[in-house]
Amino acid sequence: MIGSLLVANRGEIAVRIMRTCRRLGIRTVAVFSDADRDALHVACADEAVRIGPAAARDSYLRAEAIMEAAARSGAEAIHPGYGFLSEKPDLPLLCREEGRIFVGPSAECITAMGPKIGSKLIAERAGVPSVPGYAGEDQSNAALAEAAARIGYPVMIKASAGGGGKGMRRVFSEAELMPALDMARAEAQAAFGDPALLIEKLVLRPRHLEVQVAGDKHGNVVHLFERDCSVQRNNQKVLEEAPAPNLAPVIRAKLLERGVALARTIGYDNLGTVEFILEDGFDEPWFLEMNTRLQVEHPVTEAITGYDLVEWQIRIAAGERLPALQHEIRESGHAIEARITAERADQGFRPDAGRIEGYREPGAIRIDSGVRTGSEVTLFYDSLLAKAIAAGSDRAEACARLAAGLRDFAILGPATTLPFLADAVEHKLFAEGRATTRFIEEAFPEGWVARRPHYRLARAAAALLWLARQEAARPGGDAWAGLSGFRILAPAGGLATSHLVVSEEGKATRLEVRALPDGGRAVRDGDGEIELVLRSGDECFEVTCEGRLLRGSHAVADGGVRLMLDGESFDFSLASATRIAAGANGTASGSGAVNASMPGVVAEVRIAAGERVDAGQVVVVLESMKLFTSLTAEIAGVVSDVACRTGETVSAGKRLVLIEPAG
């Protein structure tokens, strides 16, 4: 058995690998960039080594830096996780040269199955049919146009060297082809350093199915059944499950047989996944690609087989035979995984960033996470925060457990996909096992919108939590905030009343909070009055209203309250109405505040404190996901404060510049 292992990755997969190592008594080494110095995976390791600046290209993607860290720490083996260097031959080749164990397949297997064009030719030799298409060496526009016409529109253009949706374009007519080829080539070159493309028949209502395979260095190859990963957005998986629902036995048999045949053909020697596409209503699964690494969705296979797949990887890499042969591998029950990302599902899955102010996992399902309270979510890396995995004796039970767990999972800070995922799992199409890769557009044709039935109650609870924070901060707190809880006495000796302004998503509402004789509170807004009783602890609270008790999680700061209530998330800004009326709140509407329109990196600051600016003048340029946005001054005046610097990562809504109106 391996004695020490370096995990060449970060986030939830690094923590996941370390969990197995701890159980097996293997010493672990983490690597980290400057952005991850205080990350959870660093805290979970026995030792950690810095490998470079925040950008992945300067740290996690540098094979030589990984090898230097292994040498410094004395690690015998290196596990690449997924992403980063996991599907490049560089790391296993360097391990071979330096006498270290690479926990993954051989460099030869990775090289063979990496390019999509090459892998399809190998599949053809193995008798595994692929989607009808063109994967030839002639990459001229003329050859590709001829192939598209022969295949028949619509077609899909794909980058040969990559995945994750990069270099992919749907083309529905000849007129669209040339512009799509140009864009796909440019994307493929930028993302993978290889502009080669292939063209396939576009399957309009596909299911995305995959087979988990494993091989050892002694010639044994097995499958651990299949998974369905059809629920996707932007060609990236969202929900995954095992086994695949509503799958005819004849199709399942073809999947498993073809997955093993392909692995045998290349002498596969670790865990891998063979991916297929199935046109809804047909019975012929077509080969897509092979992922020569551990999959993000591997936990659902673990749940139905009872095996630890990371342990399998480690034992195979150490030269042991497969822990089980095909006749010994059984499946039981059903499991579903949801990927929880830092994204605004209600805004086209726009990425979000910032500090996690509160974090609480549900107790009834498995959570693989790479974050905790205090973790910084940046735009340098993938938006995946955690995975929720629920298992049951059947699919209905797994669905119910997952939905309940997602609604009980609290991550306060950057926006997450938790509410969307709960709605998706409960949607009729998914619940009945009828999802294809078009699930999101079919289930939410107008885009997903949070239901938030408890919005007024959540806003009222936020007001009480914020007032309690202000009260606890006295004396020595903000003088203006102190005025918000002043007592107004009626002739018979009245009760305290507070006047607040609560804002979310740019919408401001005035609230009047009045104490009731029984210890509760009445909160009045434009729609009437809500009476509630609230009890809170450090992170959790419970609110009783109209005889119903609901529980949630919260994080309170001077300027606002973030909370989750009944599975829905809220982010309120609060201030004393008195303070706003006095003009002390510099972020009020028309005050000259320039806020970040989305999370991003400050690419350029064009002004300085004391400088005069005109209305409409560009003051800051923001970069987010390779897009540049110019932020302009809404009013003319003098810059009184610049609260950002070039290169800084900022969250959506953060005030970057404050301009005092011209006198």
Side-chain angles (χ1 to χ4, degrees):
M1 177 59 72
I2 292 167
S4 58
L5 182 145
L6 181 146
V7 183
N9 217 296
R10 63 179 301 280
E12 63 85 18
I13 186 56
V15 176
R16 159 72 189 92
I17 294 166
M18 291 172 191
R19 185 168 68 243
T20 290
C21 289
R22 189 177 305 113
R23 181 174 60 79
L24 297 176
I26 299 172
R27 177 176 165 271
T28 57
V29 179
V31 293
F32 64 91
S33 70
D34 289 343
D36 279 341
R37 173 62 186 84
D38 299 317
L40 181 58
H41 77 279
V42 174
C44 290
D46 295 306
E47 181 181 346
V49 181
R50 178 187 178 273
I51 53 172
R57 64 178 178 274
D58 299 322
S59 51
Y60 295 103
L61 285 171
R62 292 178 58 225
E64 66 277 10
I66 300 298
M67 298 307 296
E68 289 170 9
R72 288 173 58 188
S73 63
E76 298 173 44
I78 296 176
H79 195 307
Y82 48 69
F84 294 137
L85 296 170
S86 63
E87 290 186 279
K88 298 179 182 296
D90 312 49
L91 207 53
L93 286 173
L94 287 172
C95 285
R96 186 183 300 171
E97 290 175 10
E98 297 189 14
R100 300 188 195 281
I101 297 171
F102 179 75
V103 183
S106 67
E108 289 75 18
C109 287
I110 294 174
T111 301
M113 301 310 294
K116 287 185 173 64
I117 291 175
S119 66
K120 287 180 180 295
L121 296 175
I122 292 172
E124 184 180 340
R125 291 199 300 270
V128 178
S130 299
V131 179
Y134 174 78
E137 294 183 4
D138 188 346
Q139 289 286 302
S140 66
N141 283 349
L144 294 173
E146 181 184 346
R150 184 175 65 254
I151 296 164
Y153 292 96
V155 298
M156 174 74 87
I157 300 171
K158 290 185 178 180
S160 174
K166 296 180 178 64
M168 295 180 68
R169 289 291 186 279
R170 293 182 175 192
V171 180
F172 290 88
S173 68
E174 183 180 355
E176 300 175 14
L177 182 63
M178 291 305 162
L181 288 174
D182 291 341
M183 288 187 289
R185 277 199 189 98
E187 254 181 40
Q189 179 64 46
F192 313 114
D194 182 355
L197 303 173
L198 57 90
I199 296 181
E200 294 176 345
K201 181 67 179 174
L202 177 61
V203 182
L204 294 175
R205 291 186 54 79
R207 291 182 66 180
H208 187 117
L209 305 171
E210 60 188 35
V211 179
Q212 177 70 66
V213 297
D216 61 24
K217 302 180 188 305
H218 306 277
N220 299 303
V221 177
V222 299
H223 69 75
L224 290 93
F225 304 104
E226 85 285 352
R227 297 184 286 256
D228 187 315
C229 307
S230 297
V231 179
Q232 303 178 9
R233 55 109 183 112
N234 301 329
N235 297 301
Q236 295 186 353
K237 300 166 187 174
V238 174
L239 295 169
E240 303 109 339
E241 58 184 304
N246 299 327
L247 191 65
V250 64
I251 301 176
R252 174 182 245 212
K254 288 179 181 179
L255 280 173
L256 302 181
E257 177 185 334
R258 292 171 183 181
V260 171
L262 187 57
R264 285 192 192 282
T265 298
I266 60 172
Y268 200 72
D269 59 350
N270 206 271
L271 262 68
T273 297
V274 185
E275 302 200 350
F276 296 86
I277 195 168
L278 177 70
E279 177 71 81
D280 190 31
F282 289 75
D283 63 0
E284 193 66 50
W286 286 320
F287 170 73
L288 271 181
E289 62 183 350
M290 183 174 188
N291 291 318
T292 52
R293 54 168 169 80
L294 191 69
Q295 291 282 89
V296 178
E297 58 270 25
H298 75 273
V300 294
T301 298
E302 293 182 325
I304 66 166
T305 63
Y307 295 116
D308 182 330
L309 297 191
V310 173
E311 180 180 349
W312 275 49
Q313 286 191 293
I314 292 170
R315 292 191 179 279
I316 293 168
E320 297 183 23
R321 293 181 180 273
L322 290 177
L325 296 179
Q326 195 67 70
H327 69 278
E328 301 172 304
I329 301 172
R330 298 284 187 271
E331 63 173 340
S332 177
H334 202 97
I336 309 173
E337 172 182 290
R339 300 190 189 190
I340 299 147
T341 54
E343 294 175 321
R344 287 289 302 264
D346 60 338
Q347 295 182 11
F349 295 93
R350 172 178 66 77
D352 206 1
R355 186 176 187 272
I356 293 179
E357 305 291 347
Y359 179 87
R360 180 174 58 82
E361 295 181 355
I365 61 175
R366 171 178 168 178
I367 302 295
D368 285 9
S369 176
V371 297
R372 57 185 173 179
T373 299
S375 292
E376 288 289 341
V377 179
T378 75
L379 297 176
F380 290 110
Y381 313 116
D382 186 88
S383 61
L384 181 65
L385 303 179
K387 302 179 307 197
I389 305 100
S393 59
D394 57 26
R395 189 172 186 273
E397 184 178 344
C399 280
R401 287 182 175 177
L402 181 58
L406 290 168
R407 296 202 185 280
D408 196 34
F409 197 167
I411 303 178
L412 304 173
T416 75
T417 51
L418 279 166
F420 160 76
L421 291 168
D423 283 354
V425 171
E426 292 176 334
H427 194 280
K428 183 178 180 180
L429 277 177
F430 185 81
E432 294 177 352
R434 297 189 290 114
T436 69
T437 58
R438 297 183 60 189
F439 167 77
I440 293 178
E441 62 186 88
E442 291 177 346
F444 309 103
E446 304 300 322
W448 177 80
V449 178
R451 291 177 292 176
R452 307 175 98 190
H454 303 301
Y455 180 82
R456 290 182 67 217
L457 181 60
R459 187 174 60 192
L464 300 191
L465 290 164
W466 187 79
L467 285 171
R469 166 70 174 259
Q470 305 308 307
E471 183 68 29
R474 298 175 188 149
D478 186 305
W480 291 103
L483 289 176
S484 66
F486 65 92
R487 293 172 64 86
I488 300 177
L489 299 181
L495 296 166
T497 300
S498 299
H499 299 270
L500 306 176
V501 174
V502 184
S503 303
E504 190 188 38
E505 300 289 335
K507 179 182 179 182
T509 303
R510 289 182 176 271
L511 298 183
E512 178 185 283
V513 182
R514 178 169 52 87
L516 300 175
D518 62 0
R521 296 290 188 273
V523 180
R524 176 172 292 279
D525 59 19
D527 295 318
E529 192 168 85
I530 301 173
E531 293 188 4
L532 65 155
V533 175
L534 184 138
R535 298 169 57 193
S536 67
D538 290 339
E539 293 183 351
C540 300
F541 71 93
E542 60 180 38
V543 58
T544 304
C545 180
E546 296 180 347
R548 185 179 181 188
L549 186 149
L550 296 173
R551 294 184 174 87
S553 299
H554 68 90
V556 185
D558 289 339
V561 176
R562 289 182 169 123
L563 60 84
M564 292 199 75
L565 182 65
D566 197 28
E568 301 292 344
S569 61
F570 305 86
D571 190 352
F572 297 109
S573 298
L574 294 99
S576 155
T578 311
R579 176 174 181 170
I580 292 177
N585 190 340
T587 61
S589 177
S591 66
V594 179
N595 302 322
S597 56
M598 64 184 72
V601 177
V602 177
E604 188 178 356
V605 178
R606 296 190 178 181
I607 40 79
E611 187 176 329
R612 294 189 66 86
V613 296
D614 297 322
Q617 180 178 335
V618 176
V619 293
V620 174
V621 178
L622 195 65
E623 179 184 1
S624 182
M625 303 296 286
K626 302 190 185 322
L627 297 175
F628 292 87
T629 303
S630 296
L631 305 180
T632 59
E634 293 185 1
I635 62 172
V638 177
V639 177
S640 61
D641 182 42
V642 179
C644 64
R645 64 182 185 279
T646 300
E648 179 183 357
T649 300
V650 297
S651 57
K654 178 184 177 182
R655 180 173 63 77
L656 307 179
V657 176
L658 185 61
I659 301 166
E660 294 294 337

